[in-house]
Amino acid sequence: MTTTRTTLRDLVRIPGGGRYALSATVEAATSGMLRPFIVIYAVLIGLSAGQAGMTLTVGMLAGLGAVPLAGWWIDRGARRAPAVAALLVRAVGSLLLALVPGIAGFAIGALLIGVGTQIAPPTNSALVAALAGPARRAAALAAGRSLRNAGLGAGALLGTVLVAGGPEVLRWLALATAVGCAFGAAVIARVPLPHQDPAPARTAGTKKARGGGLRTVTVLALAGIPYAFYADILEIALPLLLVQGLHASLAWPSGIFVANTVMVIALQLVVVVRLAKWPQRTVLFWSGLLLAASYLAFWLGGATGGSPGTVLVAMAIVPYTLGEILYTGSSVPLVIESAPPRLMGRALARWQLSYGLARAVDPIIITGLLSLGAAALWLPLAAATLLGAAAVRLGTRRHRLHRSRESMSQAVADGGSPAVDGPLTKSLRMSPGRPGPTVIAATTSVGPGHKLSGHPGRGRPGRRTGTRPPAL
């Protein structure tokens, strides 16, 4: 039986996995101490809540501009360095918050934190993929997310306890975040990377395959935009629905948030490992169905009203959490496997751009639609998520067809014939202009009308072409 503990143990046993796990845990725990209070900190140093929110949004949008550069860096062969850079940028930003307690320090610090936050997902995914390899990639990514979720939760709890001593503690929390990110960067810098085979030579066939792979990733990125709205449902949409729409106490959104966090930590690795044999596209498709069903349940709860509506909203958190787990467990592995290896960085950057853009605008969209009514938010969001799931599902056949055509084109480019060359046909061909045999072909199965010869187009077996024919 696969459990969270055994999967985490497997991650630690991967060469370099233990150091990565240590870095992720420390960085998440220290970041979690400041993250819930950063807007309050901005207000304490003289900014209004609107100015603080706008500054953080500008920082996140600026981070989107750095994502393509991170993808290009990864495609150049870098694995550790981009992940280290993401942590160091956040460390410097948090240090500015602590040492320059003014508007200028907060603005520059928020900008650097936004850049580091946006480039962290693709750089971490590329590093984990290099450490774990294709067989253990999905489980390792899920283990890393579980560690980060646990670290963020523990850090937020500790930060809540410390802030009770007074608002001046927030500067020390910012300093602790800077130290934690710097420590994580130092640990990542010493992670040993496995040996990577040299990249294959560029050919017209591989260029075409790359283009097809990135087109597939583009479709996934566009389909994933409505999926990304799930991230702010717990923090923005449900509190407004429960407190303003259903007039429930603040304990309900808080309890739902805690329940979601506990379920994610407890079930994420187990579910991801159990579904490892399923195609990632199928898992992502079912994720969309579960998220859309939960949105419809939220709408029904708001329409029901009163205590029954509140209970219905609370119960709908179960399919919502399962949809979240399936989404986070399948989306990034699917992007990685859909892209050519040499363009993995660009593919991850393209995915992060769509996800980060959706995260940047969804607070405005969610609050604006909810001001018009519950149906104005939940029904279009459910429909858009179902549309994204349908795009993922329809893309399965196209992806398989593209893969089969790609394999056929590669066989033809290698000199074989899809109709004749099969698994029993083996050929050795050397490039023109080089010394040695022109062509030596050994066929273990010969169909009717085909002659076994040492030279194509020649009827006499064993005709000399500069070397002896292969012994039969």
Side-chain angles (χ1 to χ4, degrees):
M1 178 179 178
T2 301
T3 63
T4 300
R5 180 178 299 177
T6 58
T7 307
L8 288 174
R9 188 184 297 119
D10 291 340
L11 172 64
V12 173
R13 289 176 178 175
I14 295 174
R19 294 182 179 180
Y20 174 80
L22 175 63
S23 172
T25 303
V26 173
E27 174 268 321
T30 53
S31 298
M33 290 191 294
L34 178 65
R35 185 173 172 178
F37 310 106
I38 190 168
V39 174
I40 299 175
Y41 178 74
V43 173
L44 291 176
I45 63 176
L47 277 73
S48 66
Q51 290 174 333
M54 181 61 67
T55 302
L56 293 173
T57 299
V58 170
M60 294 295 287
L61 292 177
L64 287 178
V67 168
L69 297 178
W72 174 84
W73 197 0
I74 294 171
D75 287 339
R76 299 285 294 179
R79 291 297 180 267
R80 282 185 304 238
V84 170
L87 288 170
L88 290 180
V89 169
R90 291 173 57 196
V92 174
S94 301
L95 190 63
L96 287 176
L97 294 183
L99 301 182
V100 187
I103 296 177
F106 183 84
I108 300 175
L111 177 66
L112 294 176
I113 291 174
V115 171
T117 300
Q118 291 283 28
I119 67 176
T123 56
N124 284 328
S125 298
L127 177 61
V128 173
L131 293 176
R136 293 180 288 184
R137 180 189 301 150
L141 289 171
R145 284 191 299 271
S146 293
L147 288 174
R148 291 181 184 278
N149 287 335
L152 287 172
L157 180 61
L158 179 60
T160 302
V161 174
L162 295 176
V163 168
E168 64 276 0
V169 177
L170 292 175
R171 290 185 59 187
W172 291 102
L173 296 184
L175 183 60
T177 300
V179 173
C181 290
F183 175 82
V187 173
I188 289 295
R190 298 179 60 84
V191 169
L193 291 178
H195 173 72
Q196 296 181 356
D197 295 331
R202 299 183 178 182
T203 62
T206 56
K207 290 181 180 179
K208 183 177 180 180
R210 291 172 191 166
L214 290 182
R215 284 194 296 271
T216 302
V217 171
T218 300
V219 173
L220 289 174
L222 293 176
I225 290 178
Y227 280 80
F229 275 69
Y230 90 92
D232 282 327
I233 294 299
L234 287 178
E235 299 180 10
I236 299 177
L238 288 187
L240 291 176
L241 172 65
L242 290 167
V243 177
Q244 293 186 357
L246 296 175
H247 306 289
S249 67
L250 289 175
W252 280 98
S254 176
I256 288 175
F257 185 88
V258 172
N260 168 265
T261 303
V262 171
M263 283 191 291
V264 168
I265 294 174
L267 299 177
Q268 186 173 51
L269 282 176
V270 176
V271 172
V272 169
V273 172
R274 290 293 181 88
L275 297 180
K277 295 181 179 180
W278 286 35
Q280 301 291 353
R281 286 178 175 270
T282 301
V283 178
L284 187 59
F285 167 73
W286 281 103
S287 167
L289 295 186
L290 288 170
L291 289 175
S294 66
Y295 298 154
L296 292 177
F298 294 149
W299 169 65
L300 288 176
T304 302
S307 297
T310 302
V311 173
L312 180 57
V313 170
M315 293 175 60
I317 202 64
V318 175
Y320 167 85
T321 303
L322 290 176
E324 174 187 353
I325 291 173
L326 296 186
Y327 168 76
T328 56
S330 62
S331 56
V332 173
L334 177 58
V335 170
I336 293 176
E337 76 176 26
S338 298
R342 288 178 59 88
L343 294 181
M344 180 178 65
R346 189 179 302 179
L348 289 171
R350 193 166 296 187
W351 175 260
Q352 179 62 22
L353 282 174
S354 68
Y355 178 82
L357 181 61
R359 289 297 311 276
V361 301
D362 65 8
I364 299 176
I365 295 177
I366 289 175
T367 54
L369 292 179
L370 270 181
S371 65
L372 301 177
L377 170 66
W378 299 115
L379 295 182
L381 184 56
T385 306
L386 287 175
L387 184 62
V392 171
R393 187 65 173 179
L394 293 176
T396 304
R397 292 184 177 181
R398 296 179 181 178
H399 180 70
R400 291 175 180 173
L401 180 60
H402 171 74
R403 288 294 186 186
S404 61
R405 288 179 177 176
E406 178 182 320
S407 301
M408 186 178 298
S409 299
Q410 186 65 35
V412 175
D414 290 340
S417 172
V420 176
D421 290 353
L424 296 179
T425 303
K426 300 178 181 179
S427 61
L428 173 64
R429 295 176 175 85
M430 300 188 67
S431 301
R434 294 185 180 180
T438 305
V439 175
I440 301 176
T443 308
T444 57
S445 62
V446 182
H450 291 278
K451 295 181 179 181
L452 182 62
S453 64
H455 194 283
R458 306 277 186 173
R460 290 185 293 170
R463 177 167 180 141
R464 299 184 65 85
T465 58
T467 185
R468 292 181 177 272
L472 300 178

